[in-house]
Amino acid sequence: MVDINIAIIGAGPAGLSAALELKKLGFDDLVVFEREDEAGGTPRHCGHLGFGMFEFKQVLSGPNYAKKLAEKAAQKGINVQLKSTLVKVEDGILTFSTPEGVKQYKPTCTLFALGARETPRSDRLVSGGRSPNIITTGTLQRFAYLQKIKPFEKAVIVGSEIVSFSAIMSAKHLGIKVEAMIEEKEQIESFCLLKYITKLFLNIPVYTGVKLENINTQDKAVQSLTISKDGKKEDIACDGVIFTGKFTPESSMLQKSFVDFNTQNSSLNITQNFQSSSDGVFVAGNATRGALAAFRCYFEGKKVASKIKDYLNFKHTPKIIKIEADENVSWYYPTMLDIKSPLEGHLTTLRLKNRAKGAIKIYLNDRLVGTKKVWAFPFISISIPWKDIELKEKDNIRLEFSADS
Ligand SMILES: Cc1cc2nc3c(=O)[nH]c(=O)nc-3n(C[C@H](O)[C@H](O)[C@H](O)COP(=O)(O)OP(=O)(O)OC[C@H]3O[C@@H](n4cnc5c(N)ncnc54)[C@H](O)[C@@H]3O)c2cc1C
């Protein structure tokens, strides 16, 4: 077992920017662990442009952005251990599976920057047959931009988040015909304009308010999908299905290893400093909630680096107050306040599950202390402000959404 000062798990934008910043702050005893055979994270297989504008003042494709980050890390001499998958965390010891066998490290401080993944078919309880042609956008993009394989000819896209439109572009890149996009909610999960662009300019029907009843297969080959709306069923012929969106942090490891797990976020509870309630454990980037843009994760990486510095130099241990949020909230972060650190007028950032107009009420120990009027969309984050009210340990903060009548 090797003792190290800082372990960063995940070489995506969050993990690598944290490593670069820590190096700049003078921390050399630092190792980044990455399960893939290259550093750079999710952007490695997002072949489209749209990365790097805020970080590098350049418009880059995902792979070029990932390459730039990985090259910066290499230039600064950061130790990135590739093909190293974290498989266990126990008593502060990290166990990795690597091509050379199992390796163990005992860090003083650990940053989990594991990213998020789309919810695959297996976790969505969709009935029907099994087939290798039932995939997620992430897998489609790996086929398109890393392996250059066309897995099928005619696909249906399940979901209508921004990433679902990225799936359309990747399918087009491979020459796959998209037969339809289907969404169970009454409205698409991104800007309405995208629905009309998809219908009118790409000639792809977009069905909203439909239920995916069954994936019809024969000998492990997809034949069609059965969808229903208002009790009427319809089959859409296709040989591939792409499940898109519903991002959730790569958190099964965290859930198994730590008690203070927030099921609403599918991640550890964290303070405004990205610090968890376990000694020396931090979480940043998409591993803290669902997916946001890469630049946000990159800047979170930089921010968490300065918090790790405070922890290592001054043994900063948080004094914690938990924030709770009702069932209308899909995720929120931070989920705890460290009352030893400044709040800077900000309580938390959240997203609601559905489109709605109303108010988010902030309760401190059952006393209403603030209200924020919102017109919410599930794909837009809402910042919840905090008035300067003195907080004590054992205080309780709760957020409740009430819709306008
Ligand atoms: C289809 C798609 C399109 C996108 N388009 C854009 C865009 O145009 N612009 C934009 O700004 N953002 C875009 N994004 C979002 C962006 O890619 C993410 O926000 C960003 O990559 C998140 O950074 P991260 O470091 O938190 O996680 P990731 O980039 O996901 O990195 C996490 C890393 O952790 C590693 N890891 C996970 N578990 C383990 C383990 N157990 N052991 C070791 N390593 C592990 C993973 O292999 C991965 O490399 C897109 C995302 C997707 C999926």
Side-chain angles (χ1 to χ4, degrees), residues 65-298:
Y65 175 83
K67 207 167 144 199
K68 189 163 181 129
L69 274 175
E71 279 171 3
K72 274 179 175 282
Q75 279 159 11
K76 296 287 170 199
I78 291 169
N79 179 356
V80 181
Q81 295 285 316
L82 299 171
K83 297 184 192 167
S84 301
T85 306
L86 179 69
V87 288
K88 196 162 115 185
V89 187
E90 202 171 60
D91 301 329
I93 297 167
L94 309 177
T95 303
F96 293 90
S97 160
T98 79
E100 298 86 44
V102 168
K103 290 187 182 170
Q104 289 192 312
Y105 293 81
K106 191 163 181 13
T108 311
C109 180
T110 305
L111 169 62
F112 291 103
L114 305 167
R117 64 183 174 88
E118 289 164 291
T119 303
R121 183 264 180 99
S122 52
D123 295 343
R124 297 191 193 218
L125 306 175
V126 175
S127 62
R130 284 163 174 255
S131 166
N133 285 1
I134 303 171
I135 61 176
T136 58
T137 319
T139 311
L140 179 74
Q141 294 195 323
R142 240 166 266 144
F143 281 135
Y145 304 112
L146 296 185
Q147 296 160 3
K148 317 226 182 289
I149 295 170
K150 183 180 184 183
F152 37 72
E153 299 292 331
K154 291 190 297 180
V156 171
I157 295 197
V158 182
S160 61
E161 295 177 34
I162 290 179
V163 67
S164 318
F165 296 91
S166 182
I168 293 182
M169 300 325 288
S170 302
K172 282 185 90 58
H173 176 86
L174 282 169
I176 296 169
K177 183 165 185 290
V178 178
E179 296 292 331
M181 170 180 268
I182 59 171
E183 167 57 53
E184 61 185 356
K185 292 193 179 165
E186 290 300 329
Q187 282 160 317
I188 64 163
E189 290 277 271
S190 40
F191 303 100
C192 287
L193 189 63
L194 286 174
K195 176 174 173 177
Y196 299 107
I197 291 175
T198 306
K199 275 182 169 176
L200 298 174
F201 295 105
L202 300 175
N203 213 11
I204 298 170
V206 180
Y207 299 94
T208 51
V210 297
K211 183 164 188 284
L212 173 52
E213 295 283 351
N214 204 61
I215 301 178
N216 308 308
T217 60
Q218 200 173 10
D219 301 330
K220 296 210 166 171
V222 176
Q223 306 285 309
S224 64
L225 290 191
T226 305
I227 58 168
S228 69
K229 182 163 181 153
D230 304 329
K232 266 175 63 185
K233 288 192 178 174
E234 185 186 331
D235 279 0
I236 307 173
C238 60
D239 62 352
V241 185
I242 306 162
F243 282 91
T244 63
K246 290 191 193 289
F247 280 93
T248 144
E250 283 277 7
S251 60
S252 48
M253 176 77 49
L254 302 180
Q255 186 160 21
K256 271 189 279 174
S257 314
F258 297 93
V259 278
D260 198 9
F261 189 82
N262 182 304
T263 47
Q264 218 159 339
N265 280 15
S266 282
S267 189
L268 298 188
N269 277 311
I270 50 158
T271 66
Q272 69 271 33
N273 298 331
F274 302 94
Q275 192 166 10
S276 79
S277 49
S278 296
D279 192 29
V281 173
F282 291 76
V283 189
N286 284 347
T288 59
R289 34 117 236 257
L292 291 186
F295 75 89
R296 290 199 185 279
C297 300
Y298 176 90

